[in-house]
Amino acid sequence: EAVPAVEVLNGCGVPELGRKVGDRLSALGVPVAGTAGNAKVVVEGEEVNDFTHETSSLIYRSENPRVEAFARYLGVLLSIEEISSDPGPGAEIIIIAGRDMAS
């Protein structure tokens, strides 16, 4: 089966961080669906950028065991400890790059 697509979101506001993490993943052969987005939060009904992430996190959006296994593999590969499930549409795996990835 195909490797799950991964989207990288900037969670700390460091310029080009999503792209840099995406490039690192691409160099390792991981298919990257996008790197230009920012993490979001809803404030008073409006979606705004969320740059409060000090540590990176990973969310897998599919209940397929293959996707969860690949998400956990990426967590080890990128030293991300916070891994959670949130089934929904979009990329099967979302990485929120925190300030810990900026160094």
Side-chain angles (χ1 to χ4, degrees):
E1 292 186 53
V3 176
V6 177
E7 181 177 14
V8 182
L9 301 177
N10 188 332
C12 65
V14 173
E16 301 293 318
L17 181 60
R19 183 188 57 74
K20 290 175 185 172
V21 173
D23 289 351
R24 181 174 165 199
L25 289 170
S26 293
L28 295 170
V30 176
V32 178
T35 62
N38 294 321
K40 302 287 186 186
V41 65
V42 177
V43 177
E44 296 178 8
E46 188 173 331
E47 194 174 68
V48 296
N49 290 337
D50 179 9
F51 293 141
T52 62
H53 298 267
E54 291 299 317
T55 57
S56 300
S57 60
L58 191 150
I59 303 163
Y60 57 95
R61 313 275 296 165
S62 172
E63 295 180 14
N64 184 322
R66 174 186 60 83
V67 175
E68 179 181 357
F70 191 70
R72 296 196 178 282
Y73 165 74
L74 287 177
V76 170
L77 194 66
L78 297 173
S79 300
I80 297 174
E81 293 181 14
E82 186 181 328
I83 300 171
S84 61
S85 172
D86 184 13
E92 291 177 291
I93 297 174
I94 298 171
I95 295 172
I96 299 176
R99 197 162 299 283
D100 58 334
M101 282 198 179
S103 54

